[in-house]
Short mmCIF file of all heavy atoms in Angstrom, two decimals:
data_model
loop_
_atom_site.label_atom_id
_atom_site.label_comp_id
_atom_site.label_asym_id
_atom_site.label_seq_id
_atom_site.Cartn_x
_atom_site.Cartn_y
_atom_site.Cartn_z
N MET S 20 0.86 -1.18 0.02
CA MET S 20 0.00 0.01 0.00
C MET S 20 0.85 1.25 -0.01
O MET S 20 1.75 1.43 0.78
CB MET S 20 -0.86 -0.01 1.16
CG MET S 20 -1.89 1.10 1.29
SD MET S 20 -3.06 0.91 2.66
CE MET S 20 -3.86 2.55 2.64
N THR S 21 0.60 2.20 -0.85
CA THR S 21 1.38 3.39 -1.00
C THR S 21 0.66 4.56 -0.32
O THR S 21 -0.58 4.63 -0.45
CB THR S 21 1.72 3.71 -2.46
OG1 THR S 21 0.51 3.73 -3.20
CG2 THR S 21 2.72 2.69 -3.04
N THR S 22 1.37 5.48 0.20
CA THR S 22 0.76 6.72 0.79
C THR S 22 0.84 7.79 -0.29
O THR S 22 1.83 8.12 -0.75
CB THR S 22 1.53 7.11 1.99
OG1 THR S 22 1.61 6.05 2.91
CG2 THR S 22 0.90 8.29 2.72
N PRO S 23 -0.30 8.33 -0.64
CA PRO S 23 -0.36 9.44 -1.61
C PRO S 23 0.36 10.65 -1.07
O PRO S 23 0.25 10.97 0.09
CB PRO S 23 -1.91 9.68 -1.86
CG PRO S 23 -2.54 9.07 -0.72
CD PRO S 23 -1.69 7.97 -0.23
N THR S 24 1.04 11.35 -1.96
CA THR S 24 1.72 12.61 -1.56
C THR S 24 0.67 13.69 -1.30
O THR S 24 -0.24 13.86 -2.06
CB THR S 24 2.68 13.10 -2.66
OG1 THR S 24 3.52 11.97 -2.96
CG2 THR S 24 3.46 14.25 -2.19
N SER S 25 0.79 14.33 -0.17
CA SER S 25 -0.17 15.37 0.10
C SER S 25 0.10 16.62 -0.60
O SER S 25 1.25 17.13 -0.62
CB SER S 25 -0.09 15.65 1.70
OG SER S 25 -0.89 16.82 1.93
N VAL S 26 -0.93 17.08 -1.31
CA VAL S 26 -0.76 18.37 -2.05
C VAL S 26 -0.63 19.60 -1.13
O VAL S 26 -0.11 20.58 -1.42
CB VAL S 26 -1.86 18.61 -3.03
CG1 VAL S 26 -1.84 17.63 -4.27
CG2 VAL S 26 -3.20 18.54 -2.45
N ALA S 27 -1.22 19.37 0.09
CA ALA S 27 -1.23 20.52 1.08
C ALA S 27 0.24 20.74 1.57
O ALA S 27 0.50 21.83 2.15
CB ALA S 27 -2.09 20.18 2.21
N ALA S 28 1.10 19.77 1.44
CA ALA S 28 2.46 19.90 1.95
C ALA S 28 3.22 21.10 1.26
O ALA S 28 4.17 21.57 1.83
CB ALA S 28 3.24 18.63 1.75
N THR S 29 2.76 21.43 0.05
CA THR S 29 3.51 22.52 -0.59
C THR S 29 2.95 23.92 -0.21
O THR S 29 3.47 24.92 -0.58
CB THR S 29 3.30 22.40 -2.19
OG1 THR S 29 1.92 22.41 -2.49
CG2 THR S 29 3.98 21.08 -2.67
N THR S 30 1.90 23.95 0.55
CA THR S 30 1.30 25.25 0.98
C THR S 30 2.24 25.95 2.10
O THR S 30 2.45 25.37 3.09
CB THR S 30 -0.10 25.07 1.56
OG1 THR S 30 -0.94 24.40 0.54
CG2 THR S 30 -0.73 26.36 1.84
N ALA S 31 2.69 27.00 1.71
CA ALA S 31 3.64 27.75 2.57
C ALA S 31 2.73 28.43 3.76
O ALA S 31 1.66 28.84 3.48
CB ALA S 31 4.38 28.84 1.87
N VAL S 32 3.32 28.40 4.91
CA VAL S 32 2.73 29.01 6.02
C VAL S 32 3.17 30.43 6.11
O VAL S 32 4.36 30.70 6.29
CB VAL S 32 3.02 28.27 7.33
CG1 VAL S 32 2.35 28.97 8.59
CG2 VAL S 32 2.58 26.84 7.29
N LEU S 33 2.20 31.40 5.85
CA LEU S 33 2.65 32.80 5.80
C LEU S 33 2.09 33.51 7.05
O LEU S 33 1.01 33.06 7.55
CB LEU S 33 2.00 33.41 4.54
CG LEU S 33 2.42 32.86 3.21
CD1 LEU S 33 1.55 33.42 2.07
CD2 LEU S 33 3.87 33.16 2.97
N PRO S 34 2.79 34.48 7.44
CA PRO S 34 2.25 35.31 8.56
C PRO S 34 0.97 35.97 8.15
O PRO S 34 0.71 36.28 6.97
CB PRO S 34 3.34 36.29 8.86
CG PRO S 34 4.17 36.38 7.63
CD PRO S 34 4.01 35.02 6.97
N ALA S 35 0.08 36.25 9.11
CA ALA S 35 -1.24 36.85 8.76
C ALA S 35 -0.86 38.21 8.17
O ALA S 35 -0.15 38.93 8.69
CB ALA S 35 -2.02 36.99 10.03
N PRO S 36 -1.55 38.61 7.08
CA PRO S 36 -1.33 39.93 6.49
C PRO S 36 -1.79 40.97 7.42
O PRO S 36 -2.88 40.83 8.04
CB PRO S 36 -2.07 39.85 5.15
CG PRO S 36 -3.20 38.81 5.44
CD PRO S 36 -2.57 37.82 6.37
N VAL S 37 -1.01 42.02 7.50
CA VAL S 37 -1.46 43.25 8.32
C VAL S 37 -1.86 44.40 7.56
O VAL S 37 -2.53 45.24 8.06
CB VAL S 37 -0.33 43.57 9.39
CG1 VAL S 37 -0.19 42.43 10.42
CG2 VAL S 37 0.93 43.97 8.65
N SER S 38 -1.48 44.43 6.24
CA SER S 38 -1.91 45.49 5.44
C SER S 38 -3.17 45.12 4.78
O SER S 38 -3.35 44.10 4.17
CB SER S 38 -0.89 45.89 4.40
OG SER S 38 -0.56 44.79 3.60
N THR S 39 -4.17 46.02 4.89
CA THR S 39 -5.49 45.74 4.37
C THR S 39 -5.73 46.55 3.13
O THR S 39 -5.62 47.76 3.16
CB THR S 39 -6.57 46.04 5.35
OG1 THR S 39 -6.41 45.27 6.56
CG2 THR S 39 -7.96 45.82 4.85
N PRO S 40 -5.89 45.93 1.97
CA PRO S 40 -6.12 46.72 0.77
C PRO S 40 -7.27 47.64 0.88
O PRO S 40 -8.36 47.20 1.41
CB PRO S 40 -6.35 45.64 -0.37
CG PRO S 40 -5.80 44.37 0.25
CD PRO S 40 -5.94 44.46 1.72
N GLY S 41 -7.16 48.88 0.54
CA GLY S 41 -8.27 49.79 0.67
C GLY S 41 -8.24 50.51 1.99
O GLY S 41 -9.18 51.42 2.23
N CYS S 42 -7.46 50.16 2.93
CA CYS S 42 -7.33 50.87 4.15
C CYS S 42 -6.90 52.31 3.88
O CYS S 42 -5.79 52.51 3.35
CB CYS S 42 -6.46 50.20 5.15
SG CYS S 42 -6.19 51.13 6.70
N ARG S 43 -7.68 53.33 4.28
CA ARG S 43 -7.33 54.71 4.04
C ARG S 43 -6.16 55.20 4.76
O ARG S 43 -5.43 56.11 4.37
CB ARG S 43 -8.57 55.54 4.37
CG ARG S 43 -9.47 55.85 3.22
CD ARG S 43 -10.47 56.94 3.49
NE ARG S 43 -11.72 56.31 3.87
CZ ARG S 43 -12.75 56.98 4.51
NH1 ARG S 43 -12.52 58.22 4.78
NH2 ARG S 43 -13.84 56.31 4.85
N ASP S 44 -5.86 54.56 5.91
CA ASP S 44 -4.68 54.93 6.68
C ASP S 44 -3.40 54.36 6.13
O ASP S 44 -2.31 54.91 6.05
CB ASP S 44 -4.84 54.52 8.13
CG ASP S 44 -5.96 55.35 8.80
OD1 ASP S 44 -5.97 56.62 8.62
OD2 ASP S 44 -6.84 54.73 9.46
N CYS S 45 -3.53 53.06 5.53
CA CYS S 45 -2.38 52.42 5.03
C CYS S 45 -2.07 52.93 3.53
O CYS S 45 -0.97 53.05 3.19
CB CYS S 45 -2.55 50.96 5.02
SG CYS S 45 -2.43 50.22 6.68
N VAL S 46 -3.13 53.27 2.81
CA VAL S 46 -3.06 53.61 1.41
C VAL S 46 -1.93 52.97 0.60
O VAL S 46 -1.10 53.54 0.04
CB VAL S 46 -2.93 55.19 1.23
CG1 VAL S 46 -4.28 55.84 1.49
CG2 VAL S 46 -1.88 55.78 2.13
N GLY S 47 -1.96 51.66 0.69
CA GLY S 47 -1.09 50.86 -0.11
C GLY S 47 0.27 50.59 0.50
O GLY S 47 1.12 49.76 -0.06
N ARG S 48 0.59 51.17 1.59
CA ARG S 48 1.81 50.97 2.30
C ARG S 48 1.86 49.62 3.10
O ARG S 48 0.85 49.09 3.36
CB ARG S 48 2.22 52.01 3.33
CG ARG S 48 2.37 53.40 2.67
CD ARG S 48 2.66 54.49 3.73
NE ARG S 48 1.50 54.80 4.51
CZ ARG S 48 1.49 55.68 5.49
NH1 ARG S 48 2.56 56.23 5.90
NH2 ARG S 48 0.38 55.97 6.20
N SER S 49 3.01 49.15 3.32
CA SER S 49 3.12 47.97 4.13
C SER S 49 2.89 48.46 5.61
O SER S 49 3.06 49.60 5.89
CB SER S 49 4.53 47.34 4.02
OG SER S 49 4.72 46.87 2.68
N ALA S 50 2.60 47.48 6.42
CA ALA S 50 2.37 47.85 7.83
C ALA S 50 3.04 46.83 8.79
O ALA S 50 3.00 45.65 8.49
CB ALA S 50 0.85 47.97 8.12
N GLU S 51 3.60 47.40 9.85
CA GLU S 51 4.25 46.51 10.81
C GLU S 51 3.22 46.18 11.87
O GLU S 51 2.52 47.08 12.37
CB GLU S 51 5.40 47.27 11.45
CG GLU S 51 6.23 46.46 12.38
CD GLU S 51 7.39 47.27 12.97
OE1 GLU S 51 7.40 48.50 12.82
OE2 GLU S 51 8.25 46.63 13.51
N ARG S 52 3.19 44.94 12.29
CA ARG S 52 2.21 44.50 13.23
C ARG S 52 2.79 44.86 14.70
O ARG S 52 3.89 44.44 14.99
CB ARG S 52 2.01 43.03 13.17
CG ARG S 52 1.01 42.39 14.07
CD ARG S 52 1.16 40.87 14.02
NE ARG S 52 -0.05 40.19 14.57
CZ ARG S 52 -0.91 39.60 13.85
NH1 ARG S 52 -0.80 39.53 12.53
NH2 ARG S 52 -1.93 39.03 14.54
N ILE S 53 2.11 45.65 15.44
CA ILE S 53 2.59 45.99 16.81
C ILE S 53 1.98 45.14 17.91
O ILE S 53 2.70 44.68 18.71
CB ILE S 53 2.21 47.54 17.05
CG1 ILE S 53 2.94 48.43 16.07
CG2 ILE S 53 2.55 47.88 18.52
CD1 ILE S 53 2.50 49.88 16.16
N ALA S 54 0.64 44.91 17.79
CA ALA S 54 0.04 44.05 18.81
C ALA S 54 -1.32 43.55 18.25
O ALA S 54 -1.72 44.06 17.20
CB ALA S 54 -0.28 44.97 20.00
N SER S 55 -1.80 42.52 18.86
CA SER S 55 -3.15 42.08 18.46
C SER S 55 -3.96 41.73 19.72
O SER S 55 -3.36 41.28 20.69
CB SER S 55 -2.94 40.80 17.54
OG SER S 55 -2.20 39.84 18.11
N TYR S 56 -5.22 41.86 19.47
CA TYR S 56 -6.13 41.51 20.62
C TYR S 56 -7.31 40.64 20.17
O TYR S 56 -7.84 40.92 19.06
CB TYR S 56 -6.71 42.79 21.19
CG TYR S 56 -5.58 43.72 21.77
CD1 TYR S 56 -4.97 44.55 20.87
CD2 TYR S 56 -5.27 43.66 23.08
CE1 TYR S 56 -3.92 45.42 21.31
CE2 TYR S 56 -4.23 44.44 23.54
CZ TYR S 56 -3.60 45.45 22.70
OH TYR S 56 -2.61 46.17 23.13
N ARG S 57 -7.66 39.61 20.91
CA ARG S 57 -8.74 38.73 20.48
C ARG S 57 -10.03 39.51 20.46
O ARG S 57 -10.34 40.14 21.40
CB ARG S 57 -8.84 37.55 21.45
CG ARG S 57 -7.80 36.51 21.18
CD ARG S 57 -8.12 35.28 22.03
NE ARG S 57 -8.64 35.58 23.33
CZ ARG S 57 -9.71 35.05 23.86
NH1 ARG S 57 -10.37 34.10 23.21
NH2 ARG S 57 -10.23 35.45 25.00
N ALA S 58 -10.74 39.45 19.31
CA ALA S 58 -11.93 40.21 19.21
C ALA S 58 -13.04 39.72 20.18
O ALA S 58 -13.99 40.44 20.43
CB ALA S 58 -12.51 40.24 17.82
N GLY S 59 -12.93 38.50 20.65
CA GLY S 59 -13.93 37.94 21.56
C GLY S 59 -13.79 38.62 22.94
O GLY S 59 -14.81 38.61 23.70
N ASP S 60 -12.76 39.32 23.21
CA ASP S 60 -12.59 40.08 24.47
C ASP S 60 -13.38 41.42 24.37
O ASP S 60 -13.06 42.17 23.52
CB ASP S 60 -11.10 40.31 24.69
CG ASP S 60 -10.85 41.00 26.05
OD1 ASP S 60 -11.78 41.74 26.50
OD2 ASP S 60 -9.79 40.92 26.54
N PRO S 61 -14.34 41.64 25.27
CA PRO S 61 -15.09 42.89 25.13
C PRO S 61 -14.31 44.12 25.27
O PRO S 61 -14.69 45.27 24.82
CB PRO S 61 -16.12 42.76 26.28
CG PRO S 61 -15.64 41.72 27.22
CD PRO S 61 -14.78 40.81 26.39
N HIS S 62 -13.04 44.14 25.81
CA HIS S 62 -12.25 45.23 25.91
C HIS S 62 -11.20 45.36 24.85
O HIS S 62 -10.37 46.19 24.84
CB HIS S 62 -11.48 45.23 27.30
CG HIS S 62 -12.41 45.19 28.44
ND1 HIS S 62 -13.20 46.27 28.82
CD2 HIS S 62 -12.67 44.24 29.36
CE1 HIS S 62 -13.87 46.00 29.86
NE2 HIS S 62 -13.66 44.72 30.18
N ALA S 63 -11.24 44.35 23.87
CA ALA S 63 -10.19 44.31 22.84
C ALA S 63 -10.12 45.55 22.01
O ALA S 63 -8.93 46.09 21.87
CB ALA S 63 -10.47 43.11 21.96
N LEU S 64 -11.13 46.04 21.55
CA LEU S 64 -11.13 47.24 20.67
C LEU S 64 -10.66 48.43 21.49
O LEU S 64 -9.76 49.24 20.92
CB LEU S 64 -12.49 47.48 20.06
CG LEU S 64 -12.44 48.61 18.97
CD1 LEU S 64 -11.40 48.32 17.88
CD2 LEU S 64 -13.88 48.69 18.31
N TYR S 65 -11.07 48.56 22.66
CA TYR S 65 -10.53 49.67 23.54
C TYR S 65 -9.07 49.52 23.77
O TYR S 65 -8.31 50.56 23.60
CB TYR S 65 -11.33 49.63 24.89
CG TYR S 65 -10.79 50.54 25.92
CD1 TYR S 65 -11.11 51.92 25.86
CD2 TYR S 65 -10.06 50.10 26.95
CE1 TYR S 65 -10.62 52.87 26.76
CE2 TYR S 65 -9.55 50.98 27.94
CZ TYR S 65 -9.83 52.29 27.81
OH TYR S 65 -9.31 53.18 28.75
N GLU S 66 -8.59 48.34 24.05
CA GLU S 66 -7.24 48.19 24.32
C GLU S 66 -6.44 48.41 23.04
O GLU S 66 -5.31 49.07 23.07
CB GLU S 66 -6.95 46.76 24.83
CG GLU S 66 -7.54 46.43 26.19
CD GLU S 66 -6.81 47.24 27.34
OE1 GLU S 66 -5.72 47.75 27.16
OE2 GLU S 66 -7.38 47.36 28.38
N ALA S 67 -6.90 47.94 21.89
CA ALA S 67 -6.21 48.16 20.58
C ALA S 67 -6.17 49.61 20.29
O ALA S 67 -5.10 50.08 19.82
CB ALA S 67 -6.98 47.38 19.51
N ASP S 68 -7.20 50.30 20.50
CA ASP S 68 -7.25 51.78 20.26
C ASP S 68 -6.24 52.50 21.12
O ASP S 68 -5.51 53.38 20.67
CB ASP S 68 -8.66 52.37 20.63
CG ASP S 68 -9.51 52.52 19.30
OD1 ASP S 68 -8.95 52.56 18.19
OD2 ASP S 68 -10.77 52.60 19.43
N ARG S 69 -6.13 52.10 22.34
CA ARG S 69 -5.15 52.74 23.32
C ARG S 69 -3.77 52.42 22.79
O ARG S 69 -2.94 53.38 22.81
CB ARG S 69 -5.35 52.15 24.69
CG ARG S 69 -6.33 52.99 25.60
CD ARG S 69 -6.57 52.32 26.89
NE ARG S 69 -5.32 51.74 27.51
CZ ARG S 69 -4.86 52.07 28.70
NH1 ARG S 69 -5.51 52.96 29.44
NH2 ARG S 69 -3.82 51.54 29.18
N ALA S 70 -3.59 51.18 22.40
CA ALA S 70 -2.13 50.84 21.92
C ALA S 70 -1.86 51.65 20.71
O ALA S 70 -0.65 52.08 20.51
CB ALA S 70 -2.09 49.34 21.65
N ALA S 71 -2.76 51.83 19.79
CA ALA S 71 -2.57 52.57 18.55
C ALA S 71 -2.27 54.00 18.88
O ALA S 71 -1.26 54.56 18.37
CB ALA S 71 -3.70 52.42 17.63
N ALA S 72 -2.99 54.57 19.81
CA ALA S 72 -2.79 56.01 20.17
C ALA S 72 -1.40 56.17 20.80
O ALA S 72 -0.76 57.21 20.59
CB ALA S 72 -3.93 56.46 21.16
N ALA S 73 -0.91 55.18 21.59
CA ALA S 73 0.37 55.33 22.21
C ALA S 73 1.55 55.12 21.21
O ALA S 73 2.67 55.45 21.52
CB ALA S 73 0.48 54.19 23.27
N ASN S 74 1.20 54.73 19.99
CA ASN S 74 2.30 54.44 19.01
C ASN S 74 2.37 55.52 17.97
O ASN S 74 3.04 55.27 16.93
CB ASN S 74 2.15 53.13 18.39
CG ASN S 74 2.72 51.96 19.30
OD1 ASN S 74 3.95 51.79 19.27
ND2 ASN S 74 1.92 51.35 20.09
N GLY S 75 1.64 56.65 18.16
CA GLY S 75 1.83 57.74 17.22
C GLY S 75 0.65 57.86 16.28
O GLY S 75 -0.22 57.00 16.28
N PRO S 76 0.67 58.97 15.51
CA PRO S 76 -0.55 59.32 14.72
C PRO S 76 -0.81 58.32 13.61
O PRO S 76 -1.91 58.31 13.07
CB PRO S 76 -0.30 60.78 14.23
CG PRO S 76 1.23 60.83 14.34
CD PRO S 76 1.64 59.98 15.48
N SER S 77 0.15 57.63 13.14
CA SER S 77 -0.01 56.83 11.93
C SER S 77 -0.40 55.41 12.32
O SER S 77 -0.95 54.59 11.54
CB SER S 77 1.16 56.80 11.03
OG SER S 77 2.30 56.18 11.73
N ALA S 78 -0.26 55.00 13.54
CA ALA S 78 -0.66 53.67 14.05
C ALA S 78 -2.16 53.64 14.13
O ALA S 78 -2.79 54.60 14.55
CB ALA S 78 -0.04 53.38 15.41
N HIS S 79 -2.72 52.54 13.78
CA HIS S 79 -4.20 52.36 13.85
C HIS S 79 -4.62 50.91 13.94
O HIS S 79 -3.65 50.03 13.90
CB HIS S 79 -4.84 53.03 12.61
CG HIS S 79 -4.41 52.53 11.25
ND1 HIS S 79 -3.10 52.87 10.71
CD2 HIS S 79 -4.87 51.60 10.47
CE1 HIS S 79 -3.04 52.24 9.54
NE2 HIS S 79 -3.97 51.43 9.33
N VAL S 80 -5.84 50.62 13.93
CA VAL S 80 -6.30 49.26 14.24
C VAL S 80 -6.93 48.66 12.93
O VAL S 80 -7.77 49.37 12.30
CB VAL S 80 -7.22 49.19 15.38
CG1 VAL S 80 -7.81 47.83 15.58
CG2 VAL S 80 -6.68 49.86 16.58
N HIS S 81 -6.53 47.42 12.61
CA HIS S 81 -7.26 46.69 11.57
C HIS S 81 -8.03 45.56 12.33
O HIS S 81 -7.62 45.07 13.35
CB HIS S 81 -6.23 45.92 10.67
CG HIS S 81 -5.56 46.86 9.71
ND1 HIS S 81 -4.62 46.40 8.90
CD2 HIS S 81 -5.78 48.15 9.52
CE1 HIS S 81 -4.17 47.49 8.08
NE2 HIS S 81 -4.78 48.48 8.49
N TYR S 82 -9.07 45.16 11.68
CA TYR S 82 -9.77 43.95 12.14
C TYR S 82 -9.36 42.89 11.24
O TYR S 82 -9.51 42.95 10.03
CB TYR S 82 -11.32 44.10 12.09
CG TYR S 82 -11.99 42.87 12.37
CD1 TYR S 82 -12.00 42.21 13.65
CD2 TYR S 82 -12.60 42.09 11.35
CE1 TYR S 82 -12.55 40.97 13.91
CE2 TYR S 82 -13.21 40.88 11.66
CZ TYR S 82 -13.19 40.34 12.92
OH TYR S 82 -13.72 39.08 13.19
N ALA S 83 -8.88 41.73 11.82
CA ALA S 83 -8.50 40.62 10.97
C ALA S 83 -9.51 39.43 11.17
O ALA S 83 -9.60 38.90 12.28
CB ALA S 83 -7.11 40.10 11.34
N ALA S 84 -10.30 39.17 10.12
CA ALA S 84 -11.23 38.06 10.27
C ALA S 84 -10.50 36.78 10.54
O ALA S 84 -10.98 35.95 11.27
CB ALA S 84 -12.01 38.02 8.90
N ARG S 85 -9.32 36.59 9.91
CA ARG S 85 -8.52 35.41 10.19
C ARG S 85 -7.96 35.54 11.57
O ARG S 85 -7.14 36.41 11.92
CB ARG S 85 -7.35 35.42 9.12
CG ARG S 85 -6.46 34.23 9.30
CD ARG S 85 -5.62 34.16 8.04
NE ARG S 85 -4.35 33.57 8.29
CZ ARG S 85 -3.40 33.48 7.41
NH1 ARG S 85 -3.59 33.97 6.22
NH2 ARG S 85 -2.23 32.98 7.70
N GLY S 86 -8.47 34.73 12.50
CA GLY S 86 -8.01 34.78 13.85
C GLY S 86 -8.96 35.61 14.71
O GLY S 86 -8.89 35.71 15.90
N ASP S 87 -9.90 36.28 13.98
CA ASP S 87 -10.95 37.11 14.70
C ASP S 87 -10.21 38.02 15.77
O ASP S 87 -10.45 37.86 16.94
CB ASP S 87 -11.97 36.16 15.45
CG ASP S 87 -13.24 36.96 15.94
OD1 ASP S 87 -13.48 38.04 15.26
OD2 ASP S 87 -13.78 36.56 16.88
N GLN S 88 -9.46 38.94 15.25
CA GLN S 88 -8.68 39.79 16.15
C GLN S 88 -8.54 41.20 15.63
O GLN S 88 -8.62 41.47 14.47
CB GLN S 88 -7.36 39.13 16.41
CG GLN S 88 -6.51 38.93 15.13
CD GLN S 88 -5.21 38.11 15.34
OE1 GLN S 88 -4.76 37.94 16.46
NE2 GLN S 88 -4.68 37.63 14.23
N TYR S 89 -8.25 42.01 16.60
CA TYR S 89 -7.97 43.43 16.26
C TYR S 89 -6.40 43.56 16.24
O TYR S 89 -5.78 43.08 17.17
CB TYR S 89 -8.50 44.44 17.24
CG TYR S 89 -10.04 44.48 17.23
CD1 TYR S 89 -10.73 44.00 18.30
CD2 TYR S 89 -10.71 44.96 16.15
CE1 TYR S 89 -12.16 44.00 18.24
CE2 TYR S 89 -12.09 45.09 16.08
CZ TYR S 89 -12.76 44.54 17.17
OH TYR S 89 -14.15 44.55 17.23
N VAL S 90 -5.89 44.07 15.15
CA VAL S 90 -4.43 44.17 14.98
C VAL S 90 -4.00 45.61 14.94
O VAL S 90 -4.54 46.39 14.11
CB VAL S 90 -3.92 43.39 13.74
CG1 VAL S 90 -2.46 43.45 13.66
CG2 VAL S 90 -4.46 41.97 13.73
N VAL S 91 -3.15 45.99 15.92
CA VAL S 91 -2.58 47.33 15.85
C VAL S 91 -1.49 47.33 14.85
O VAL S 91 -0.54 46.56 14.99
CB VAL S 91 -2.12 47.77 17.29
CG1 VAL S 91 -1.60 49.21 17.21
CG2 VAL S 91 -3.25 47.61 18.26
N VAL S 92 -1.49 48.28 13.91
CA VAL S 92 -0.49 48.30 12.90
C VAL S 92 0.13 49.67 12.80
O VAL S 92 -0.47 50.66 13.12
CB VAL S 92 -0.98 47.88 11.51
CG1 VAL S 92 -1.55 46.45 11.51
CG2 VAL S 92 -2.06 48.88 11.04
N GLN S 93 1.42 49.73 12.26
CA GLN S 93 2.12 50.89 12.05
C GLN S 93 2.58 50.89 10.62
O GLN S 93 3.47 50.17 10.26
CB GLN S 93 3.33 50.97 12.94
CG GLN S 93 4.26 52.19 12.76
CD GLN S 93 3.74 53.37 13.56
OE1 GLN S 93 3.72 53.25 14.80
NE2 GLN S 93 3.40 54.41 12.95
N PRO S 94 1.86 51.66 9.74
CA PRO S 94 2.28 51.69 8.31
C PRO S 94 3.68 52.33 8.08
O PRO S 94 4.04 53.21 8.91
CB PRO S 94 1.21 52.45 7.63
CG PRO S 94 0.41 53.18 8.62
CD PRO S 94 0.70 52.52 9.92
N TYR S 95 4.38 51.90 7.09
CA TYR S 95 5.67 52.50 6.72
C TYR S 95 5.87 52.42 5.33
O TYR S 95 5.33 51.64 4.58
CB TYR S 95 6.84 51.81 7.56
CG TYR S 95 6.95 50.33 7.17
CD1 TYR S 95 7.72 49.87 6.16
CD2 TYR S 95 6.19 49.43 7.99
CE1 TYR S 95 7.79 48.57 5.90
CE2 TYR S 95 6.31 48.12 7.78
CZ TYR S 95 7.13 47.63 6.70
OH TYR S 95 7.28 46.25 6.40
N ASP S 96 6.73 53.36 4.79
CA ASP S 96 7.02 53.33 3.39
C ASP S 96 8.17 52.41 3.07
O ASP S 96 8.95 52.12 3.91
CB ASP S 96 7.40 54.84 2.93
CG ASP S 96 6.27 55.72 3.16
OD1 ASP S 96 5.13 55.45 2.61
OD2 ASP S 96 6.39 56.83 3.71
N GLY S 97 8.21 52.02 1.80
CA GLY S 97 9.36 51.17 1.40
C GLY S 97 9.08 49.72 1.53
O GLY S 97 7.97 49.28 1.77
N GLU S 98 10.19 48.91 1.35
CA GLU S 98 10.06 47.45 1.36
C GLU S 98 9.86 46.93 2.70
O GLU S 98 10.09 47.59 3.76
CB GLU S 98 11.46 46.86 0.87
CG GLU S 98 11.77 47.25 -0.58
CD GLU S 98 10.77 46.72 -1.51
OE1 GLU S 98 10.46 45.55 -1.48
OE2 GLU S 98 10.27 47.49 -2.39
N ALA S 99 9.24 45.72 2.78
CA ALA S 99 9.04 45.09 4.08
C ALA S 99 10.36 44.90 4.81
O ALA S 99 11.45 44.55 4.26
CB ALA S 99 8.31 43.73 3.84
N ARG S 100 10.26 45.10 6.15
CA ARG S 100 11.48 45.02 6.98
C ARG S 100 11.84 43.55 7.22
O ARG S 100 10.87 42.84 7.45
CB ARG S 100 11.29 45.72 8.18
CG ARG S 100 11.33 47.23 8.00
CD ARG S 100 10.98 47.95 9.34
NE ARG S 100 10.61 49.33 9.09
CZ ARG S 100 10.15 50.11 10.00
NH1 ARG S 100 10.00 49.70 11.21
NH2 ARG S 100 9.77 51.29 9.71
ZN1 ZN E 209 -4.42 50.26 7.77
#
């Protein structure tokens, strides 16, 4: 009996994207992930907003359906670091 090769084995595991196409604050820039908060936590958005405010005017919050979380991001120009 032979074991079939799994096609899923070629799927790369990528980090969750933090730049959201169409985000007015990111406007096509890459963004660095600063922190994330589980959306199931009733204080998550408040905490995420606070973290974004503490990181300067360009930091802001994305909602990531993948993982159901609020992600605090800091957009930056240029290539990914
Ligand atoms: Zn954004």
Side-chain angles (χ1 to χ4, degrees):
M20 184 173 169
T21 54
T22 305
T24 305
S25 171
V26 290
T29 57
T30 304
V32 178
L33 299 170
V37 292
S38 58
T39 301
C42 174
R43 266 189 264 165
D44 293 312
C45 288
V46 283
R48 290 181 291 176
S49 299
E51 183 178 17
R52 183 191 196 108
I53 295 172
S55 58
Y56 300 87
R57 284 189 322 132
D60 183 335
H62 301 292
L64 187 53
Y65 172 75
E66 294 292 342
D68 263 340
R69 268 176 41 125
N74 277 279
S77 63
H79 58 279
V80 179
H81 285 177
Y82 171 71
R85 182 166 149 185
D87 190 29
Q88 57 190 344
Y89 294 111
V90 181
V91 182
V92 298
Q93 178 87 59
Y95 58 89
D96 296 310
E98 298 296 311
R100 291 175 196 170

